Amino acid sequence: MASFAQQFRGLKCPPLNDNKFSTSKKNQNHYPPSLPKKTSVISAAAVAIANAQTRERMRLKEMFEEAYERCRTDPMEGVAFTVEDFYAALDKYDFNSELGTKVKGTVFYTDANGALVDINAKSSAYLSLREASIHSIKHVEEAGIVPGLREEFVIVGENEADDSLNVSLRSIQYDLAWERCRQLQAEDVVVKGKKSTAEELLEKELPLKFVEVDEEQSRLVLSNRKAMADSQAQLGIGSVVIGTVQSLKPYGAFIDIGGINGLLHVSQISHDRVSDIATVLQPGDTLKVMILSHDRERGRVSLSTKKLEPTPGDMIRNPKLVFEKAEEMAQTFRQRIAQAEAMARADILRFQPESGLTLSSEGILGPLTSDLPADGLDLSDIPPAED
């Protein structure tokens, strides 16, 4: 053993490296040198955020508690209007919502089924397609109902689901139509209408008069016969009426004068000879004619434009002038008729002494008694009757 120890006694070991040991000591935990520093920064930030959130929650809690206490002790503090103001505002928009009440409203939305109307109620009112017009339509816009339209509506129902109201324009239009019918009946006015029952009268306008107007029973009765009778009563000889050419025949033209067909014979069209009526008149033409005769029993009316010509042949050359001068020429014709009738009466009296009058050779109609002026009536100014 001694010899072995002696062998090692002379050996020299190299000195330890301080740098090597220090590095080894630093690396003994196996963490990067900078990691502990970052960890401390993150931890500090998390704490700061948590503290900020806690402070915010505390601030909101204090605000809530303060607001709760204020509402409990003085609920109207800071409110710009009073309870009375609130109820007054409600009363301002409160209206009678009973059925039949008329309200003003503004359309703000439309579609194929109807429209929504603002009537200043709790909810908007609904105008259905059926209630939008008295006529049959496929879209409310066909009746002029568009957003922005302000109109008067009538309340006709209520939707129980949302307490909204149903309104109508159709009901108002029906009321106006019945009122107009009653007015026309009172004035005994002749109106135009089209029949759809008799095939020969399809799409043909006829004169009609109101016979019965009963809104409660929804009953409206009109008569063509009454209108025709009244129209015929107005067809005095020598009167000028406006007519429409219905058809042409070789012997004349049939003219519709307010639902009555009159005959304008070819010989009564013009003083000049008319060889072809179609060169002067066409179906559909509107013209003025004069009544020559009217047979009420047989329903025949004779017409003339010949008597309305200022100059013979004007109906062929210048019919516009004939129509412009029609009333003037008819007045002249009526005066001639009156003069002819006066002469006829005078001729009758000449040969009827029992009438109590006598006609002298000078044309003086005088009395046989003292009841008339002694000098009699002078008829010498009456011109002779014309053919």
Side-chain angles (χ1 to χ4, degrees):
M1 290 293 294
S3 59
F4 183 76
Q6 291 176 354
Q7 291 179 6
F8 282 93
R9 188 177 295 167
L11 295 176
K12 293 182 178 180
C13 294
L16 294 175
N17 190 339
D18 295 334
N19 293 333
K20 183 176 179 181
F21 279 96
S22 61
T23 301
S24 176
K25 184 177 182 180
K26 290 180 180 179
N27 295 336
Q28 61 183 355
N29 292 327
H30 306 288
Y31 288 109
S34 60
L35 187 58
K37 184 178 180 181
K38 288 185 177 180
T39 301
S40 62
V41 172
I42 293 174
S43 299
V47 171
I49 292 174
N51 292 337
Q53 292 176 344
T54 301
R55 287 194 298 271
E56 180 66 17
R57 284 195 295 269
M58 293 300 295
R59 187 180 70 84
L60 293 176
K61 180 182 178 182
E62 292 175 357
M63 289 178 60
F64 174 78
E65 291 176 347
E66 180 183 353
Y68 173 77
E69 184 65 19
R70 187 168 62 250
C71 291
R72 188 180 66 84
T73 57
D74 190 5
M76 298 305 297
E77 180 184 359
V79 178
F81 56 90
T82 64
V83 175
E84 290 76 14
D85 295 335
F86 176 73
Y87 284 115
L90 290 180
D91 292 338
K92 180 180 179 181
Y93 292 98
D94 188 23
F95 61 92
N96 185 3
S97 59
E98 294 182 358
L99 298 184
T101 302
K102 293 182 179 180
V103 294
K104 285 284 188 179
T106 304
V107 177
F108 65 89
Y109 175 79
T110 62
D111 60 19
N113 299 319
L116 294 178
V117 184
D118 178 12
I119 57 173
N120 291 333
K122 296 178 181 179
S123 59
S124 58
Y126 182 65
L127 175 69
S128 66
L129 182 64
R130 183 176 183 275
E131 295 296 334
S133 175
I134 196 173
H135 303 289
S136 177
I137 57 177
K138 295 182 179 180
H139 197 286
V140 293
E141 291 185 356
E142 295 179 22
I145 300 173
V146 295
L149 173 69
R150 183 164 180 80
E151 190 58 84
E152 186 177 54
F153 301 84
V154 62
I155 298 174
V156 295
E158 183 178 358
N159 295 320
E160 296 182 357
D162 56 2
D163 292 334
S164 63
L165 298 174
N166 294 327
V167 294
S168 172
L169 285 174
R170 180 171 173 263
S171 297
I172 294 179
Q173 293 171 359
Y174 263 117
D175 291 341
L176 293 175
W178 280 111
E179 180 63 29
R180 179 58 175 161
C181 289
R182 285 190 290 268
Q183 179 184 358
L184 293 174
Q185 182 189 29
E187 296 176 357
D188 201 26
V189 175
V190 176
V191 297
K192 294 287 187 177
K194 292 183 179 181
K195 286 193 174 183
S196 58
T197 52
E199 184 176 351
E200 67 273 11
L201 297 177
L202 284 176
E203 298 301 319
K204 181 180 179 181
E205 283 194 352
L206 300 174
L208 303 169
K209 275 202 170 185
F210 290 89
V211 177
E212 183 180 355
V213 179
D214 189 345
E215 183 177 0
E216 293 183 359
Q217 300 295 328
S218 296
R219 180 177 174 84
L220 186 64
V221 181
L222 298 97
S223 172
N224 171 249
R225 181 178 298 178
K226 187 174 186 296
M228 293 280 287
D230 293 346
S231 297
Q232 290 178 3
Q234 299 174 2
L235 298 179
I237 306 302
S239 60
V240 176
V241 294
I242 298 177
T244 304
V245 179
Q246 295 296 308
S247 61
L248 302 180
K249 303 295 180 181
Y251 51 85
F254 284 97
I255 313 296
D256 177 15
I257 50 174
I260 302 174
N261 278 331
L263 175 62
L264 177 60
H265 195 271
V266 63
S267 64
Q268 286 296 328
I269 294 178
S270 175
H271 284 85
D272 289 358
R273 184 174 180 275
V274 177
S275 56
D276 184 4
I277 300 177
T279 60
V280 183
L281 301 173
Q282 286 293 323
D285 287 352
T286 300
L287 70 166
K288 288 184 178 181
V289 292
M290 190 180 73
I291 307 296
L292 277 184
S293 65
H294 182 200
D295 187 344
R296 289 181 174 83
E297 293 183 358
R298 302 176 65 182
R300 293 183 178 180
V301 180
S302 297
L303 308 172
S304 175
T305 53
K306 174 181 177 180
K307 302 297 184 183
L308 301 179
E309 288 184 322
T311 305
D314 282 344
M315 190 60 195
I316 299 175
R317 295 184 296 270
N318 191 1
K320 183 178 179 181
L321 177 63
V322 176
F323 303 148
E324 290 177 353
K325 299 286 186 179
E327 284 75 14
E328 179 181 338
M329 297 302 298
Q331 177 64 24
T332 302
F333 175 81
R334 290 191 293 269
Q335 290 175 352
R336 291 175 181 173
I337 293 295
Q339 292 172 355
E341 290 177 348
M343 291 301 299
R345 287 194 297 270
D347 289 340
I348 293 174
L349 292 174
R350 185 194 301 270
F351 300 103
Q352 292 182 349
E354 63 273 14
S355 64
L357 298 176
T358 182
L359 189 68
S360 67
S361 58
E362 291 83 10
I364 303 297
L365 184 63
L368 293 177
T369 66
S370 58
D371 294 335
L372 295 177
D375 54 354
L377 300 176
D378 187 359
L379 300 180
S380 60
D381 293 336
I382 299 179
E386 296 182 4
D387 266 342

